[in-house]
Amino acid sequence: MIDGSMQDYPLTLDKFLDHAAKWHPHAQVVTARDGGGVDRIGYAELRSRALAVSSLLAGFGTRLADRVATLAWNSQAHVEAWYGVMGMGAVCHTLNPRLTAPQLAAMLRQSEAKLLVVSADLLPLALRIADEGTPIERILVIDGDGMSPGENAPVVTALEPLIGGASGGVAWGGFPETAASGLCFTSGTTGAPKGVTYTHRSSFLHTLRLLQVDVMAISGSDNVLAVVPMFHANAWGLPFAVPAAGGKLVLPGRNNDGASLARLIASERVTVGIGVPTVWLGVVEHLEATGGSLPSLQRIIVGGAPLPPALMDRIEQRLGVTVQTSWGMTELSPSGTVAIPGDPDRSAAFSGKPAIGVDLRLTDADGRTLADQRGAEGHLHVRGAAVVERYFGHAENATDAEGWFATGDLARIEPDGNLVITGRAKDLIKSGGEWINPAEIEAVVGALPQVSLAAVIGRPDPKWGERPLLLVEVRAEQDVSDETLLASLRGRVAPWWIPDAVVRLPSMPLAPTGKIDKVRLRSEYAHA
C-alpha cells in the first residue's frame, strides 16, 4: 500500500505578501507623513517594490542568512525592507532608535550586519553607530533623502531612487521554513542584552494564532493602526497578520502623539488600534481637550506594560471601545496571551488566555511545577512554536529539558484560565513597554568617585507603568549634587532610562550574601 501525501509548502513569510497581492491587491498600506498628509499603496504594488528591494540588496552583496539591520519608524518603506530582506532569505535585524549609539553598535557587532536601512531623520544616529566600530559598510536611507557622510563613514545611499531601476530576478522563498527571518535584541530576564532569532516557521505560526477569533481577530474589513513599533518584538506580528487577512495596515510614521494619532484614526476610519497604554492615554487626553470623537474605532489591544484599571475605564468610556489586554515578550515573538474580545470577565489585571500554540506553567522558585496551577502565585514558564529555544550566539539552550522557557515573571492563573502578572522575579524595569536595565545605570553612577554604592529600583508610575528611582550611598566627606549624578548617565544610557529622582541613603541595606538588598529597597522606597 502506498500512502497518500500532502504538498510540500514551506511556511515562509513571503507567502503573506504574495497572498495579499493576489487576493487583496487594492487593500492599502497607509503611512502618515509629517504635516498631516499620508502615503498609500496597494499590496500588489508594495510586493513589486519589496521584490525590487530584494534585488538591490542582492546587488549590494546580501546573501542567504546574512543579517541586514534596520533603524526605522513604522512606514511603508520599512515594511518593504522587511519583506525585501526576509523574502530573499536574509535576516532582518531591527534596532531600537531609543537606545544609544554604543548600545546599538554592540548589537551590530554581534549580528555582523554590513548593511543598515535607516529612516532619514535617524541618519545622524546611524552615522554615530557606524563610528563605534561596527561592521556596517553601507547605509540605505528610506523615508527621505540621504546626506553626504564624513570621509570615514560608510557609503550612504537613498533607497527610493534605486527602486524604479532595480533589475529584478530575485526569487522569494526556496529555503527551509526553519531558516532565520528576524533578529531582535532584548534585555532578557537576566539583564544582559540577548538576541532573539525568529524563524519563518515560528512567525508564520504566530501569525495564524493572532488571526484567531479569540485572539486579535483581524479581518479583511479591518483598518488596523499599528502603533507598536516595528523595531520592537516583530511589531507584535502586525506586518504579517494584516496583509494575511487582507486588511488595511495604517502606520503612524514617527509621530505617536495623541493629536497625530487621533487625526489618523479619524481620516483612515481605523477599527482596531494596537499599542502600549501610554499611547492611548495621549489620544484620550487630546480628545478630552478638543472635544473630538473617533466613531470608527471598535477595539484597542494593549500590552507591553501594566494597564491601570482607571485608565482602562477611561479609555473605554471616552473612546467607546473595547480594550483587550495582553501579555507577551520578545522571546515569545511576542504574543503570549490576549484577552478574548467581549469576554464579560475582562479586567485590567487580566492578561488574557493562551491560544493554541502556546502553553503556560507555574513553578516554585526552584523550578518545580506547582501542583495547583490555578489560583496560586508562581514563576511563569512558557513553551510553544514561537517561543525562543536558544539566544543568538549562545551555545546553551534557554529552556529546560522539557522545553519550558522561564519568563522571569511572577504570575497567577485564574480558575477560568486568565493570566495575571503579579510581578517580576528579576530587577528589570518596564517603562512604557520597554525594558530598562538597572545594572547599566548602577555601573555608571557607581563609578563616580563620590559614590560608595548605587542601586536602581522601579517605582509605579500612572503614565509609564514604572519609572526608575536612583538610590545612592555617598562616600564619607564627599559632596555630589543630584544633577551631577544624573548627568553622568547622559550619553551613556538612553535618555528615557535616566531616573526621575534620587534618594540618598546613609547606609545601603545589604542582604546576607553581601549584595544590595533590593527587596528591602523596593519595600521601603518603591511607593514612597
Side-chain angles (χ1 to χ4, degrees):
M1 178 183 294
I2 300 176
D3 279 335
S5 64
M6 303 302 288
Q7 295 183 14
D8 184 15
Y9 187 86
L11 305 181
T12 55
L13 298 173
D14 51 286
K15 289 182 169 64
F16 290 135
L17 191 52
D18 286 347
H19 175 84
K22 182 175 182 179
W23 298 108
H24 309 280
H26 304 301
Q28 296 178 338
V29 173
V30 177
T31 303
R33 292 197 307 260
D34 291 347
V38 298
D39 293 322
R40 60 183 74 244
I41 189 173
Y43 284 123
E45 185 180 356
L46 187 141
R47 178 182 179 274
S48 296
R49 289 173 56 86
L51 280 165
V53 172
S54 296
S55 178
L56 292 170
L57 295 177
F60 292 135
T62 302
R63 298 294 181 263
L64 184 71
D66 283 351
R67 268 77 64 189
V68 176
T70 67
L71 182 71
W73 308 113
N74 289 20
S75 70
Q76 170 193 323
H78 200 181
V79 173
E80 291 167 355
W82 268 35
Y83 279 100
V85 172
M86 298 180 196
M88 66 185 298
V91 182
C92 186
H93 175 194
T94 54
L95 296 171
N96 186 339
R98 297 173 181 169
L99 300 178
T100 65
Q103 289 172 316
L104 295 171
M107 297 172 186
L108 284 170
R109 285 192 290 271
Q110 291 185 60
S111 76
E112 299 179 344
K114 296 180 180 179
L115 200 153
L116 174 60
V117 179
V118 58
S119 288
D121 65 309
L122 295 172
L123 183 54
L125 173 59
L127 293 174
R128 291 198 298 274
I129 294 169
D131 286 340
E132 293 283 339
T134 67
I136 295 298
E137 298 175 356
R138 181 181 293 272
I139 294 175
L140 295 174
V141 181
I142 60 175
D143 300 324
D145 295 328
M147 57 177 271
S148 298
E151 189 172 306
N152 297 320
V155 175
V156 178
T157 307
L159 184 59
E160 180 62 31
L162 303 179
I163 288 179
S167 60
V170 175
W172 281 354
F175 43 81
E177 63 182 25
T178 53
S181 61
L183 175 64
C184 180
F185 278 78
T186 175
S187 294
T189 56
T190 62
K194 295 177 181 177
V196 177
T197 301
Y198 306 115
T199 67
H200 284 264
R201 179 180 185 273
S202 70
S203 291
F204 199 107
L205 295 176
H206 180 269
T207 300
L208 297 184
R209 178 152 46 87
L210 292 184
L211 293 173
Q212 293 179 41
V213 70
D214 281 346
V215 187
M216 288 191 179
I218 295 170
S219 75
S221 62
D222 277 316
N223 302 327
V224 181
L225 174 62
V227 188
V228 59
M230 292 178 65
F231 55 74
H232 179 71
N234 266 340
W236 297 5
L238 297 175
F240 307 132
V242 181
K248 180 198 286 188
L249 178 61
V250 183
L251 303 170
R254 63 175 181 173
N255 298 314
N256 290 342
D257 60 281
S260 297
L261 292 178
R263 181 170 58 247
L264 190 59
I265 292 168
S267 64
E268 297 303 323
R269 300 191 58 78
V270 167
T271 58
V272 182
I274 303 175
V276 297
T278 52
V279 163
W280 307 114
L281 175 60
V283 173
V284 167
E285 290 179 339
H286 169 74
L287 295 178
E288 288 175 344
T290 61
S293 64
L294 301 172
S296 67
L297 196 58
Q298 301 169 7
R299 292 186 291 130
I300 285 176
I301 302 173
V302 300
L307 178 64
L311 178 56
M312 180 172 173
D313 292 341
R314 187 179 174 190
I315 292 172
E316 290 194 333
Q317 292 172 13
R318 185 62 185 82
L319 301 182
V321 299
T322 297
V323 172
Q324 290 177 254
T325 50
S326 69
W327 166 81
M329 55 196 308
T330 304
E331 288 93 339
L332 274 62
S333 299
S335 179
T337 61
V338 180
I340 297 174
D343 187 341
D345 296 322
R346 283 184 312 112
S347 164
F350 293 170
S351 298
K353 302 176 183 179
I356 185 69
V358 63
D359 197 11
L360 309 178
R361 181 184 72 164
L362 297 178
T363 74
D364 62 17
D366 296 320
R368 292 184 292 263
T369 302
L370 298 184
D372 189 351
Q373 291 286 301
R374 296 290 192 275
E377 184 181 66
H379 291 251
L380 181 61
H381 296 243
V382 63
R383 66 181 178 186
V387 177
V388 69
E389 180 177 60
R390 186 177 61 252
Y391 287 107
F392 180 78
H394 288 221
E396 69 281 1
N397 280 358
T399 57
D400 66 15
E402 296 178 341
W404 291 99
F405 172 72
T407 67
D409 286 324
L410 298 174
R412 183 179 71 253
I413 300 175
E414 294 294 295
D416 66 355
N418 264 301
L419 177 70
V420 179
I421 301 297
T422 57
R424 282 182 286 282
K426 302 297 180 181
D427 294 331
L428 298 180
I429 298 166
K430 205 166 195 180
S431 183
E434 300 280 354
W435 289 111
I436 295 174
N437 186 356
E440 292 191 33
I441 301 173
E442 293 161 356
V444 174
V445 176
L448 295 175
Q450 304 95 327
V451 174
S452 176
L453 291 172
V456 175
I457 62 173
R459 185 163 62 176
D461 184 272
K463 181 176 181 180
W464 301 108
E466 283 186 314
R467 288 296 300 151
L469 174 69
L470 173 63
L471 303 106
V472 296
E473 177 185 332
V474 179
R475 294 182 185 275
E477 300 180 359
Q478 293 286 328
D479 185 29
V480 59
S481 68
D482 290 357
E483 174 56 27
T484 299
L485 293 170
L486 299 178
S488 68
L489 297 166
R490 297 191 179 103
R492 304 287 298 279
V493 301
W496 54 275
W497 281 29
I498 296 176
D500 290 344
V502 178
V503 173
R504 296 162 183 272
L505 303 177
S507 177
M508 187 73 70
L510 301 179
T513 59
K515 296 179 180 180
I516 294 175
D517 190 349
K518 287 197 172 181
V519 173
R520 181 176 166 186
L521 288 177
R522 279 191 284 266
S523 174
E524 295 181 2
Y525 298 100
H527 297 277

